Amino acid sequence: MRELGATVTFFDRSALEPGFALRCTVGVAIPLIVAAALGRPALGIAAAIGAFITGFTSLQGIYRTRLSAVLVAAVSMSAASFVGAIAAHSTPGVIAATAVAGYLCATFGQIGPIAATVGLNSLVAFVLFSSQPLAAPAALLQSELVAAGGAIQALLLLSAWPFARLETEREAVAGVYRDLAAYARAVADGTQGLPPITPFATARQVLADPQPFARAAEKARLQRLLEDAEVIRKRLGAAVSTREPTLPAAERLDEIATSLHRGGDAEWLSGFDLLSRPRPGPYVGNRIAWLSRDSLRFALVLAIAMALGRHFEADRGYWIPLTTAIVLKPDFLTTVVRGFGRIAGTLVGAVVASLATALLRGHAAAQVAGVIVAAAAAYVTFNPNYALFTIAITSFVVISLGMRGLPGTTTIAQRVLDTLAGGALAMIGYLALPTWERKRTRALLADLIDEQRALSSAIFRAYTDPSDDRYAAIERARTQVWKIRTAVEASIDRTRSEPYRHHTIGAGRALRILAATQRFGLANLALEAGLDDRTIAIDAKALRAFAGALDERMAELAQALREPRRARPDRRLEATLARLDGPLRDRAAAYADAVRRMTRLIGYA
């Protein structure tokens, strides 16, 4: 109930992006206004729908990655609209095509957020355009108009690049320094947590895809600032692990962040960026499970939804699968808990849009204005409040398809019933074929231990055999740790909303193990920070012995957690620790302490 209340009532003003909303709304308005000026307003609807859905894809990526996502979405949606219009001639054909489209959407969505967005947008286009069967030439023209709408959004995106002026890059690096300042204060207060990783992930993504029109010297300066921030992050983490004084001061870090922020353009322009804010992007999956339960469930439930919708009326059949696609997600929290908010928004939107359609019918200019207003409302509310966004997008769909003369006889009562049916089907489908997050949490924690083990091994090898390749291996291993840590944190958060199940790890215990792995992460930071200190004496043989013992112990803990079973006792780590001396012994002792904590939480044999 708390989740539902937050979904419906909370409006996050900080998530407002008026510049992004303006740009995307212009992209929707252009084909509508051009078609209206030609005296054929209905002709602009297909292009407007293509522009509308593609606009949300432009939330992904930064510059070239964002443009690529928009273009891929435009092509994919164009193909989906053609298949939907052709398949609509046959009920068995459209049901089979819906199952294939749902399967492809869920399967390729495993690649990462951009692929998931493109897949969902293409699925929505397929469902919408399956509402009206067309002959092949008309379906081809429609698909070309959908692609044209996406191309309009791509051109508007390109036109916004020269006005960005490295604001996104500066703000991303400023966010890194702000979070480091906050962490430095927390260290002074005795925190035992890791330095923040999300701001670094965002800044890395942004600087890897820089503003094409920016000066090379300015981009290089921001890159150096980010590299300096990486060094500061290591030193702060080492200070926590070895209880050394924290440097530099939080005030100095705040000054750097403020200087970067003020280095942008005028305040009004900075707050009205035509590009959306960057989202963290390195946490991207790269494996596809072709027969995953999520993909099979999505395909089956959507096919049933389409069959149920077509059972009533062919031109009304899109509404049930559309609602199902919006509500059904890969986890319990977003499907069942937050799904009620989506259903509520769809219900209100169906009523509002049906009334608006009745009032606007026969007035072409008013219908065009209604579509544009609904599109603007959807873009404005997408991030601040999902329930309001659902109302807006529902209104857009109903008014747009009403302009195409479809569905002419659908009543408010029918839309309400279809919405309830689609939402209920999504929830029943999830509960019938669930993928409980608790079953994944244990394995993800074990993967995190393995990745941390790989990072510590890479750092130890750099001590005994320093080279550029060794440092590059550390960077790769650190990125893997960041990816899996994000997945673990998200998994534990989802388990809090799931019903309790036996033989799975509880959220409380999982959090305690995660906290213990953070201590291991601090030890990694402390050891890596020591690589810059050329005065540290190294006993290569003793260091290799400790590194080997640590690697074996972490492998045993990961396997014990994965199986699950109790960890076998092993005193080799303490014995090899005793052979070290000096600063390296202090840093290695932090590893031993973290391993002891993890062993207690996992359990002794």
Side-chain angles (χ1 to χ4, degrees):
M1 293 302 295
R2 282 195 300 270
E3 286 283 349
L4 176 59
T7 300
V8 174
T9 62
F10 180 67
F11 189 88
D12 185 4
R13 292 178 180 273
S14 64
L16 281 171
E17 299 188 69
F20 151 77
L22 175 62
R23 171 174 57 81
C24 292
T25 302
V26 169
V28 174
I30 288 173
L32 290 172
I33 294 173
V34 170
L38 295 174
R40 301 180 63 187
L43 190 64
I45 289 298
I49 291 175
F52 176 69
I53 303 176
T54 307
F56 294 104
T57 309
S58 68
L59 286 165
Q60 304 296 326
I62 307 301
Y63 290 105
R64 291 183 178 90
T65 50
R66 182 173 288 174
L67 180 63
S68 299
V70 169
L71 292 175
V72 170
V75 173
S76 179
M77 288 169 52
S78 174
S81 67
F82 179 82
V83 173
I86 296 297
H89 289 281
S90 165
T91 295
V94 77
I95 292 172
T98 301
V100 173
Y103 170 79
L104 293 176
C105 172
T107 300
F108 287 105
Q110 299 171 39
I111 297 174
I114 292 180
T117 301
V118 172
L120 182 60
N121 289 349
S122 302
L123 176 63
V124 169
F126 168 84
V127 172
L128 288 178
F129 289 105
S130 69
S131 61
Q132 186 176 31
L134 296 176
L140 182 60
L141 174 61
Q142 178 177 264
S143 68
E144 291 172 349
L145 290 172
V146 171
I152 291 172
Q153 292 288 21
L155 290 173
L156 289 173
L157 188 62
L158 274 171
S159 66
W161 284 2
F163 299 99
R165 302 183 183 180
L166 280 178
E167 288 179 26
T168 300
E169 290 86 342
R170 279 194 295 266
E171 193 55 39
V173 179
V176 169
Y177 278 91
R178 275 194 296 269
D179 278 44
L180 283 176
Y183 181 72
R185 294 188 184 92
V187 170
D189 293 335
T191 184
Q192 295 296 311
L194 277 169
I197 60 174
T198 299
F200 281 92
T202 303
R204 278 185 175 186
Q205 180 194 16
V206 170
L207 296 187
D209 183 12
Q211 221 278 43
F213 299 104
R215 289 178 296 179
E218 180 68 8
K219 290 189 283 190
R221 185 178 75 89
L222 292 172
Q223 186 63 51
R224 286 195 301 271
L225 281 170
L226 183 60
E227 292 169 359
D228 291 343
E230 291 273 13
V231 175
I232 295 169
R233 179 179 180 274
K234 295 174 192 175
R235 293 177 67 185
L236 289 171
V240 175
S241 182
T242 59
R243 296 175 177 82
E244 296 174 356
T246 62
L247 293 173
E251 290 75 13
R252 177 57 182 151
L253 296 171
D254 272 329
E255 289 174 6
I256 296 173
T258 302
S259 176
L260 282 166
H261 179 71
R262 290 177 178 173
D265 298 299
E267 191 69 26
W268 65 270
L269 183 59
S270 178
F272 208 70
D273 192 354
L274 294 174
L275 301 175
S276 65
R277 299 186 186 101
R279 271 74 177 175
Y283 314 128
V284 176
N286 51 16
R287 295 181 227 168
I288 295 178
W290 295 101
L291 295 177
S292 72
R293 176 171 287 200
D294 290 336
S295 299
L296 297 177
R297 179 181 60 234
F298 203 58
L300 177 61
V301 174
L302 276 177
I304 294 173
M306 181 61 78
L308 187 61
R310 299 278 293 199
H311 173 73
F312 296 108
E313 291 180 48
D315 61 358
R316 172 184 158 196
Y318 72 92
W319 197 262
I320 294 178
L322 181 63
T323 305
T324 302
I326 291 174
V327 174
L328 184 58
K329 301 298 176 185
D331 62 279
F332 178 84
L333 174 64
T334 50
T335 298
V336 177
V337 179
R338 295 176 184 169
F340 283 105
R342 295 187 180 93
I343 293 172
T346 306
L347 284 172
V348 175
V351 173
V352 170
S354 297
L355 293 173
T357 301
L359 292 174
L360 300 177
R361 185 174 288 118
H363 300 83
Q367 287 178 316
V368 168
V371 172
I372 295 173
V373 169
Y379 289 128
V380 168
T381 58
F382 178 70
N383 287 315
N385 185 284
Y386 202 87
L388 292 176
F389 162 73
T390 307
I391 295 173
I393 194 172
T394 303
S395 302
F396 176 89
V397 169
V398 173
I399 300 174
S400 297
L401 295 188
M403 286 184 67
R404 298 179 72 206
L406 200 100
T409 59
T410 300
T411 65
I412 293 177
Q414 288 174 330
R415 290 199 194 281
V416 169
L417 289 175
D418 288 352
T419 299
L420 293 174
L425 185 60
M427 294 183 183
I428 292 171
Y430 184 88
L431 294 174
L433 295 170
T435 47
W436 298 115
E437 191 65 35
R438 290 181 186 275
K439 293 183 177 180
R440 297 181 64 242
T441 304
R442 185 188 295 274
L444 287 172
L445 281 168
D447 290 344
L448 175 58
I449 293 174
D450 276 336
E451 295 298 343
Q452 286 190 318
R453 174 170 64 92
L455 177 56
S456 64
S457 296
I459 299 171
F460 279 117
R461 284 194 292 270
Y463 267 94
T464 56
D465 181 23
S467 66
D468 290 341
D469 290 340
R470 296 298 189 194
Y471 289 112
I474 292 174
E475 289 293 328
R476 290 193 298 270
R478 184 190 299 115
T479 300
Q480 288 300 117
V481 170
W482 286 8
K483 288 180 182 180
I484 192 64
R485 178 174 294 281
T486 301
V488 171
E489 290 171 349
S491 178
I492 294 174
D493 185 57
R494 293 191 190 108
T495 61
R496 295 170 182 266
S497 299
E498 291 183 353
Y500 175 75
R501 299 180 64 84
H502 295 290
H503 309 300
T504 57
I505 191 168
R509 185 179 173 213
L511 279 172
R512 290 191 292 273
I513 294 175
L514 180 62
T517 65
Q518 287 187 347
R519 296 184 69 85
F520 194 93
L522 289 170
N524 273 338
L525 284 174
L527 188 71
E528 188 179 353
L531 287 171
D532 300 326
D533 189 351
R534 304 299 181 185
T535 64
I536 296 179
I538 299 175
D539 183 342
K541 184 176 180 180
L543 194 62
R544 289 194 189 98
F546 178 81
L550 180 64
D551 188 77
E552 290 180 7
R553 190 58 188 160
M554 290 289 283
E556 164 62 17
L557 292 177
Q559 193 61 30
L561 189 58
R562 195 175 276 119
E563 287 187 357
R565 59 174 172 79
R566 292 181 177 274
R568 301 184 185 94
D570 185 4
R571 298 295 179 187
R572 186 176 166 219
L573 188 63
E574 285 76 8
T576 55
L577 175 62
R579 294 167 56 185
L580 296 173
D581 56 15
L584 277 181
R585 178 185 173 86
D586 295 335
R587 287 172 166 80
Y591 282 116
D593 177 62
V595 167
R596 282 193 293 270
R597 290 172 181 265
M598 281 188 279
T599 303
R600 282 198 302 271
L601 290 166
I602 295 172
Y604 289 100

